PDB file of all heavy atoms in Angstrom:
ATOM      1  N   HIS A   1      -7.940 274.522 -29.539  1.00  0.00           N
ATOM      2  CA  HIS A   1      -9.048 275.398 -29.741  1.00  0.00           C
ATOM      3  C   HIS A   1      -8.987 276.469 -28.561  1.00  0.00           C
ATOM      4  O   HIS A   1      -9.421 276.225 -27.470  1.00  0.00           O
ATOM      5  CB  HIS A   1     -10.391 274.670 -29.693  1.00  0.00           C
ATOM      6  CG  HIS A   1     -10.389 273.532 -30.662  1.00  0.00           C
ATOM      7  ND1 HIS A   1     -10.617 273.694 -32.002  1.00  0.00           N
ATOM      8  CD2 HIS A   1     -10.208 272.219 -30.477  1.00  0.00           C
ATOM      9  CE1 HIS A   1     -10.552 272.498 -32.596  1.00  0.00           C
ATOM     10  NE2 HIS A   1     -10.321 271.579 -31.693  1.00  0.00           N
ATOM     11  N   VAL A   2      -8.455 277.661 -28.923  1.00  0.00           N
ATOM     12  CA  VAL A   2      -8.218 278.699 -27.892  1.00  0.00           C
ATOM     13  C   VAL A   2      -9.438 279.602 -27.825  1.00  0.00           C
ATOM     14  O   VAL A   2      -9.750 280.213 -28.804  1.00  0.00           O
ATOM     15  CB  VAL A   2      -6.941 279.526 -28.250  1.00  0.00           C
ATOM     16  CG1 VAL A   2      -6.663 280.564 -27.197  1.00  0.00           C
ATOM     17  CG2 VAL A   2      -5.749 278.623 -28.450  1.00  0.00           C
ATOM     18  N   PRO A   3      -9.979 279.732 -26.614  1.00  0.00           N
ATOM     19  CA  PRO A   3     -11.155 280.597 -26.457  1.00  0.00           C
ATOM     20  C   PRO A   3     -10.667 282.085 -26.324  1.00  0.00           C
ATOM     21  O   PRO A   3      -9.542 282.309 -25.953  1.00  0.00           O
ATOM     22  CB  PRO A   3     -11.828 280.105 -25.190  1.00  0.00           C
ATOM     23  CG  PRO A   3     -10.616 279.644 -24.357  1.00  0.00           C
ATOM     24  CD  PRO A   3      -9.662 279.022 -25.364  1.00  0.00           C
ATOM     25  N   GLN A   4     -11.556 282.996 -26.523  1.00  0.00           N
ATOM     26  CA  GLN A   4     -11.224 284.386 -26.267  1.00  0.00           C
ATOM     27  C   GLN A   4     -11.230 284.686 -24.779  1.00  0.00           C
ATOM     28  O   GLN A   4     -12.141 284.238 -24.040  1.00  0.00           O
ATOM     29  CB  GLN A   4     -12.261 285.350 -26.933  1.00  0.00           C
ATOM     30  CG  GLN A   4     -11.949 286.849 -26.745  1.00  0.00           C
ATOM     31  CD  GLN A   4     -12.878 287.753 -27.532  1.00  0.00           C
ATOM     32  OE1 GLN A   4     -13.821 287.276 -28.098  1.00  0.00           O
ATOM     33  NE2 GLN A   4     -12.653 289.031 -27.441  1.00  0.00           N
ATOM     34  N   ALA A   5     -10.200 285.320 -24.265  1.00  0.00           N
ATOM     35  CA  ALA A   5     -10.062 285.565 -22.862  1.00  0.00           C
ATOM     36  C   ALA A   5     -10.962 286.666 -22.384  1.00  0.00           C
ATOM     37  O   ALA A   5     -11.319 287.584 -23.173  1.00  0.00           O
ATOM     38  CB  ALA A   5      -8.610 285.907 -22.507  1.00  0.00           C
ATOM     39  N   ARG A   6     -11.383 286.602 -21.109  1.00  0.00           N
ATOM     40  CA  ARG A   6     -12.116 287.687 -20.545  1.00  0.00           C
ATOM     41  C   ARG A   6     -11.131 288.609 -19.819  1.00  0.00           C
ATOM     42  O   ARG A   6     -10.620 288.324 -18.747  1.00  0.00           O
ATOM     43  CB  ARG A   6     -13.152 287.178 -19.533  1.00  0.00           C
ATOM     44  CG  ARG A   6     -14.224 286.232 -20.147  1.00  0.00           C
ATOM     45  CD  ARG A   6     -15.148 285.791 -19.065  1.00  0.00           C
ATOM     46  NE  ARG A   6     -16.177 284.939 -19.677  1.00  0.00           N
ATOM     47  CZ  ARG A   6     -17.170 284.383 -18.964  1.00  0.00           C
ATOM     48  NH1 ARG A   6     -17.219 284.514 -17.631  1.00  0.00           N
ATOM     49  NH2 ARG A   6     -18.108 283.606 -19.553  1.00  0.00           N
ATOM     50  N   GLY A   7     -10.768 289.738 -20.486  1.00  0.00           N
ATOM     51  CA  GLY A   7      -9.708 290.525 -19.990  1.00  0.00           C
ATOM     52  C   GLY A   7      -8.380 290.024 -20.407  1.00  0.00           C
ATOM     53  O   GLY A   7      -8.250 289.033 -21.133  1.00  0.00           O
ATOM     54  N   LEU A   8      -7.314 290.674 -20.007  1.00  0.00           N
ATOM     55  CA  LEU A   8      -5.986 290.222 -20.388  1.00  0.00           C
ATOM     56  C   LEU A   8      -5.547 288.961 -19.714  1.00  0.00           C
ATOM     57  O   LEU A   8      -5.791 288.755 -18.488  1.00  0.00           O
ATOM     58  CB  LEU A   8      -4.960 291.322 -20.068  1.00  0.00           C
ATOM     59  CG  LEU A   8      -4.757 292.468 -21.106  1.00  0.00           C
ATOM     60  CD1 LEU A   8      -3.741 293.459 -20.583  1.00  0.00           C
ATOM     61  CD2 LEU A   8      -4.453 291.910 -22.462  1.00  0.00           C
ATOM     62  N   THR A   9      -4.947 288.078 -20.453  1.00  0.00           N
ATOM     63  CA  THR A   9      -4.393 286.803 -19.901  1.00  0.00           C
ATOM     64  C   THR A   9      -2.922 286.808 -20.154  1.00  0.00           C
ATOM     65  O   THR A   9      -2.418 287.222 -21.278  1.00  0.00           O
ATOM     66  CB  THR A   9      -5.023 285.574 -20.562  1.00  0.00           C
ATOM     67  OG1 THR A   9      -6.398 285.506 -20.196  1.00  0.00           O
ATOM     68  CG2 THR A   9      -4.371 284.305 -20.153  1.00  0.00           C
ATOM     69  N   ALA A  10      -2.081 286.302 -19.178  1.00  0.00           N
ATOM     70  CA  ALA A  10      -0.635 286.282 -19.319  1.00  0.00           C
ATOM     71  C   ALA A  10      -0.133 284.835 -19.149  1.00  0.00           C
ATOM     72  O   ALA A  10      -0.913 283.946 -18.685  1.00  0.00           O
ATOM     73  CB  ALA A  10      -0.012 287.160 -18.215  1.00  0.00           C
ATOM     74  N   THR A  11       1.115 284.614 -19.463  1.00  0.00           N
ATOM     75  CA  THR A  11       1.768 283.359 -19.115  1.00  0.00           C
ATOM     76  C   THR A  11       2.022 283.380 -17.616  1.00  0.00           C
ATOM     77  O   THR A  11       1.923 284.455 -16.986  1.00  0.00           O
ATOM     78  CB  THR A  11       3.082 283.196 -19.881  1.00  0.00           C
ATOM     79  OG1 THR A  11       4.022 284.099 -19.340  1.00  0.00           O
ATOM     80  CG2 THR A  11       2.889 283.368 -21.340  1.00  0.00           C
ATOM     81  N   SER A  12       2.324 282.212 -17.006  1.00  0.00           N
ATOM     82  CA  SER A  12       2.635 282.231 -15.579  1.00  0.00           C
ATOM     83  C   SER A  12       3.880 283.025 -15.245  1.00  0.00           C
ATOM     84  O   SER A  12       4.132 283.364 -14.095  1.00  0.00           O
ATOM     85  CB  SER A  12       2.757 280.784 -15.119  1.00  0.00           C
ATOM     86  OG  SER A  12       3.778 280.104 -15.889  1.00  0.00           O
ATOM     87  N   GLU A  13       4.687 283.344 -16.267  1.00  0.00           N
ATOM     88  CA  GLU A  13       5.876 284.165 -16.067  1.00  0.00           C
ATOM     89  C   GLU A  13       5.552 285.663 -16.195  1.00  0.00           C
ATOM     90  O   GLU A  13       6.444 286.492 -16.092  1.00  0.00           O
ATOM     91  CB  GLU A  13       6.931 283.791 -17.089  1.00  0.00           C
ATOM     92  CG  GLU A  13       7.645 282.473 -16.836  1.00  0.00           C
ATOM     93  CD  GLU A  13       6.815 281.335 -17.371  1.00  0.00           C
ATOM     94  OE1 GLU A  13       5.825 281.560 -18.176  1.00  0.00           O
ATOM     95  OE2 GLU A  13       7.057 280.140 -16.968  1.00  0.00           O
ATOM     96  N   GLY A  14       4.261 285.979 -16.455  1.00  0.00           N
ATOM     97  CA  GLY A  14       3.863 287.395 -16.523  1.00  0.00           C
ATOM     98  C   GLY A  14       4.031 288.006 -17.912  1.00  0.00           C
ATOM     99  O   GLY A  14       3.883 289.207 -18.060  1.00  0.00           O
ATOM    100  N   ILE A  15       4.242 287.172 -18.966  1.00  0.00           N
ATOM    101  CA  ILE A  15       4.347 287.718 -20.310  1.00  0.00           C
ATOM    102  C   ILE A  15       2.950 287.797 -20.889  1.00  0.00           C
ATOM    103  O   ILE A  15       2.199 286.866 -20.917  1.00  0.00           O
ATOM    104  CB  ILE A  15       5.256 286.760 -21.199  1.00  0.00           C
ATOM    105  CG1 ILE A  15       6.668 286.697 -20.562  1.00  0.00           C
ATOM    106  CG2 ILE A  15       5.258 287.258 -22.631  1.00  0.00           C
ATOM    107  CD1 ILE A  15       7.564 285.714 -21.265  1.00  0.00           C
ATOM    108  N   VAL A  16       2.655 288.974 -21.490  1.00  0.00           N
ATOM    109  CA  VAL A  16       1.354 289.204 -22.126  1.00  0.00           C
ATOM    110  C   VAL A  16       1.575 289.466 -23.604  1.00  0.00           C
ATOM    111  O   VAL A  16       2.348 290.402 -23.975  1.00  0.00           O
ATOM    112  CB  VAL A  16       0.598 290.376 -21.440  1.00  0.00           C
ATOM    113  CG1 VAL A  16      -0.744 290.566 -22.116  1.00  0.00           C
ATOM    114  CG2 VAL A  16       0.475 290.160 -19.960  1.00  0.00           C
ATOM    115  N   LYS A  17       0.988 288.677 -24.382  1.00  0.00           N
ATOM    116  CA  LYS A  17       1.083 288.875 -25.862  1.00  0.00           C
ATOM    117  C   LYS A  17      -0.335 288.966 -26.437  1.00  0.00           C
ATOM    118  O   LYS A  17      -1.294 288.418 -25.865  1.00  0.00           O
ATOM    119  CB  LYS A  17       1.882 287.791 -26.519  1.00  0.00           C
ATOM    120  CG  LYS A  17       3.352 287.891 -26.268  1.00  0.00           C
ATOM    121  CD  LYS A  17       4.168 286.885 -27.095  1.00  0.00           C
ATOM    122  CE  LYS A  17       5.648 287.058 -26.922  1.00  0.00           C
ATOM    123  NZ  LYS A  17       6.170 288.264 -27.594  1.00  0.00           N
ATOM    124  N   LYS A  18      -0.403 289.531 -27.594  1.00  0.00           N
ATOM    125  CA  LYS A  18      -1.742 289.663 -28.246  1.00  0.00           C
ATOM    126  C   LYS A  18      -1.513 289.600 -29.749  1.00  0.00           C
ATOM    127  O   LYS A  18      -0.596 290.099 -30.378  1.00  0.00           O
ATOM    128  CB  LYS A  18      -2.339 291.047 -27.888  1.00  0.00           C
ATOM    129  CG  LYS A  18      -3.675 291.258 -28.608  1.00  0.00           C
ATOM    130  CD  LYS A  18      -4.056 292.693 -28.436  1.00  0.00           C
ATOM    131  CE  LYS A  18      -5.260 293.040 -29.303  1.00  0.00           C
ATOM    132  NZ  LYS A  18      -5.447 294.445 -29.529  1.00  0.00           N
ATOM    133  N   ARG A  19      -2.455 288.844 -30.419  1.00  0.00           N
ATOM    134  CA  ARG A  19      -2.374 288.674 -31.866  1.00  0.00           C
ATOM    135  C   ARG A  19      -3.126 289.880 -32.538  1.00  0.00           C
ATOM    136  O   ARG A  19      -4.260 290.157 -32.155  1.00  0.00           O
ATOM    137  CB  ARG A  19      -3.021 287.397 -32.288  1.00  0.00           C
ATOM    138  CG  ARG A  19      -2.914 287.034 -33.763  1.00  0.00           C
ATOM    139  CD  ARG A  19      -3.551 285.666 -34.064  1.00  0.00           C
ATOM    140  NE  ARG A  19      -3.263 285.167 -35.359  1.00  0.00           N
ATOM    141  CZ  ARG A  19      -4.221 285.014 -36.288  1.00  0.00           C
ATOM    142  NH1 ARG A  19      -5.461 285.374 -36.049  1.00  0.00           N
ATOM    143  NH2 ARG A  19      -3.877 284.528 -37.492  1.00  0.00           N
ATOM    144  N   VAL A  20      -2.454 290.489 -33.489  1.00  0.00           N
ATOM    145  CA  VAL A  20      -3.045 291.605 -34.215  1.00  0.00           C
ATOM    146  C   VAL A  20      -2.883 291.312 -35.698  1.00  0.00           C
ATOM    147  O   VAL A  20      -2.041 290.523 -36.081  1.00  0.00           O
ATOM    148  CB  VAL A  20      -2.403 292.945 -33.874  1.00  0.00           C
ATOM    149  CG1 VAL A  20      -2.568 293.275 -32.417  1.00  0.00           C
ATOM    150  CG2 VAL A  20      -0.927 292.978 -34.239  1.00  0.00           C
ATOM    151  N   ILE A  21      -3.703 291.960 -36.468  1.00  0.00           N
ATOM    152  CA  ILE A  21      -3.612 291.901 -37.924  1.00  0.00           C
ATOM    153  C   ILE A  21      -2.921 293.174 -38.421  1.00  0.00           C
ATOM    154  O   ILE A  21      -3.493 294.225 -38.204  1.00  0.00           O
ATOM    155  CB  ILE A  21      -4.955 291.675 -38.632  1.00  0.00           C
ATOM    156  CG1 ILE A  21      -5.664 290.432 -38.038  1.00  0.00           C
ATOM    157  CG2 ILE A  21      -4.823 291.648 -40.106  1.00  0.00           C
ATOM    158  CD1 ILE A  21      -4.932 289.138 -38.374  1.00  0.00           C
ATOM    159  N   GLY A  22      -1.812 293.049 -39.039  1.00  0.00           N
ATOM    160  CA  GLY A  22      -1.081 294.201 -39.528  1.00  0.00           C
ATOM    161  C   GLY A  22      -1.783 294.834 -40.737  1.00  0.00           C
ATOM    162  O   GLY A  22      -2.812 294.368 -41.205  1.00  0.00           O
ATOM    163  N   GLY A  23      -1.322 295.970 -41.149  1.00  0.00           N
ATOM    164  CA  GLY A  23      -1.956 296.722 -42.253  1.00  0.00           C
ATOM    165  C   GLY A  23      -2.092 295.940 -43.521  1.00  0.00           C
ATOM    166  O   GLY A  23      -3.027 296.212 -44.322  1.00  0.00           O
ATOM    167  N   GLN A  24      -1.180 294.995 -43.776  1.00  0.00           N
ATOM    168  CA  GLN A  24      -1.271 294.192 -44.988  1.00  0.00           C
ATOM    169  C   GLN A  24      -2.124 292.918 -44.811  1.00  0.00           C
ATOM    170  O   GLN A  24      -2.126 292.068 -45.681  1.00  0.00           O
ATOM    171  CB  GLN A  24       0.130 293.833 -45.518  1.00  0.00           C
ATOM    172  CG  GLN A  24       0.990 295.011 -45.790  1.00  0.00           C
ATOM    173  CD  GLN A  24       0.398 295.884 -46.921  1.00  0.00           C
ATOM    174  OE1 GLN A  24      -0.192 295.357 -47.780  1.00  0.00           O
ATOM    175  NE2 GLN A  24       0.537 297.231 -46.774  1.00  0.00           N
ATOM    176  N   GLY A  25      -2.770 292.793 -43.680  1.00  0.00           N
ATOM    177  CA  GLY A  25      -3.632 291.596 -43.428  1.00  0.00           C
ATOM    178  C   GLY A  25      -2.890 290.419 -42.897  1.00  0.00           C
ATOM    179  O   GLY A  25      -3.476 289.336 -42.831  1.00  0.00           O
ATOM    180  N   ARG A  26      -1.597 290.574 -42.514  1.00  0.00           N
ATOM    181  CA  ARG A  26      -0.839 289.488 -41.994  1.00  0.00           C
ATOM    182  C   ARG A  26      -0.864 289.447 -40.464  1.00  0.00           C
ATOM    183  O   ARG A  26      -0.748 290.514 -39.843  1.00  0.00           O
ATOM    184  CB  ARG A  26       0.615 289.513 -42.487  1.00  0.00           C
ATOM    185  CG  ARG A  26       0.739 289.264 -43.968  1.00  0.00           C
ATOM    186  CD  ARG A  26       2.247 289.148 -44.337  1.00  0.00           C
ATOM    187  NE  ARG A  26       2.963 290.349 -44.143  1.00  0.00           N
ATOM    188  CZ  ARG A  26       3.138 291.280 -45.123  1.00  0.00           C
ATOM    189  NH1 ARG A  26       2.555 291.093 -46.298  1.00  0.00           N
ATOM    190  NH2 ARG A  26       3.779 292.408 -44.855  1.00  0.00           N
ATOM    191  N   PRO A  27      -1.033 288.278 -39.835  1.00  0.00           N
ATOM    192  CA  PRO A  27      -1.082 288.252 -38.391  1.00  0.00           C
ATOM    193  C   PRO A  27       0.254 288.440 -37.702  1.00  0.00           C
ATOM    194  O   PRO A  27       1.296 288.031 -38.278  1.00  0.00           O
ATOM    195  CB  PRO A  27      -1.631 286.873 -38.086  1.00  0.00           C
ATOM    196  CG  PRO A  27      -1.200 286.027 -39.302  1.00  0.00           C
ATOM    197  CD  PRO A  27      -1.230 286.943 -40.462  1.00  0.00           C
ATOM    198  N   GLU A  28       0.296 289.097 -36.535  1.00  0.00           N
ATOM    199  CA  GLU A  28       1.479 289.300 -35.784  1.00  0.00           C
ATOM    200  C   GLU A  28       1.154 289.123 -34.314  1.00  0.00           C
ATOM    201  O   GLU A  28       0.065 289.391 -33.870  1.00  0.00           O
ATOM    202  CB  GLU A  28       2.008 290.715 -35.989  1.00  0.00           C
ATOM    203  CG  GLU A  28       2.312 291.137 -37.407  1.00  0.00           C
ATOM    204  CD  GLU A  28       2.621 292.620 -37.484  1.00  0.00           C
ATOM    205  OE1 GLU A  28       2.988 293.215 -36.439  1.00  0.00           O
ATOM    206  OE2 GLU A  28       2.498 293.166 -38.611  1.00  0.00           O
ATOM    207  N   CYS A  29       2.122 288.610 -33.565  1.00  0.00           N
ATOM    208  CA  CYS A  29       2.000 288.529 -32.083  1.00  0.00           C
ATOM    209  C   CYS A  29       2.832 289.633 -31.487  1.00  0.00           C
ATOM    210  O   CYS A  29       4.066 289.661 -31.703  1.00  0.00           O
ATOM    211  CB  CYS A  29       2.434 287.160 -31.589  1.00  0.00           C
ATOM    212  SG  CYS A  29       1.143 285.979 -31.383  1.00  0.00           S
ATOM    213  N   VAL A  30       2.237 290.557 -30.776  1.00  0.00           N
ATOM    214  CA  VAL A  30       2.993 291.607 -30.159  1.00  0.00           C
ATOM    215  C   VAL A  30       2.908 291.579 -28.633  1.00  0.00           C
ATOM    216  O   VAL A  30       1.889 291.144 -28.089  1.00  0.00           O
ATOM    217  CB  VAL A  30       2.464 292.973 -30.647  1.00  0.00           C
ATOM    218  CG1 VAL A  30       2.637 293.138 -32.164  1.00  0.00           C
ATOM    219  CG2 VAL A  30       1.017 293.170 -30.283  1.00  0.00           C
ATOM    220  N   THR A  31       3.972 291.967 -27.960  1.00  0.00           N
ATOM    221  CA  THR A  31       4.020 292.037 -26.494  1.00  0.00           C
ATOM    222  C   THR A  31       3.155 293.212 -25.979  1.00  0.00           C
ATOM    223  O   THR A  31       3.343 294.314 -26.484  1.00  0.00           O
ATOM    224  CB  THR A  31       5.407 292.107 -26.021  1.00  0.00           C
ATOM    225  OG1 THR A  31       6.116 290.986 -26.455  1.00  0.00           O
ATOM    226  CG2 THR A  31       5.438 292.122 -24.439  1.00  0.00           C
ATOM    227  N   VAL A  32       2.288 292.958 -25.039  1.00  0.00           N
ATOM    228  CA  VAL A  32       1.506 294.011 -24.415  1.00  0.00           C
ATOM    229  C   VAL A  32       2.249 294.518 -23.203  1.00  0.00           C
ATOM    230  O   VAL A  32       2.368 293.792 -22.164  1.00  0.00           O
ATOM    231  CB  VAL A  32       0.100 293.523 -24.034  1.00  0.00           C
ATOM    232  CG1 VAL A  32      -0.716 294.664 -23.364  1.00  0.00           C
ATOM    233  CG2 VAL A  32      -0.636 292.993 -25.270  1.00  0.00           C
TER     234      VAL A  32
END
């Protein structure tokens, strides 16, 4: 159960990703 972060959260390696909904309604994970 993943809570919404307060501000940007990264992995300990410094990788930041974000889940977005594409134009067709399909979820995608994109690198920030």
Side-chain angles (χ1 to χ4, degrees):
H1 307 280
V2 182
Q4 183 175 3
R6 296 181 179 179
L8 277 181
T9 293
T11 69
S12 55
E13 289 79 16
I15 298 172
V16 182
K17 286 186 175 288
K18 179 191 169 197
R19 186 177 190 246
V20 300
I21 302 297
Q24 300 299 326
R26 292 189 293 269
E28 304 173 18
C29 267
V30 297
T31 300
V32 179

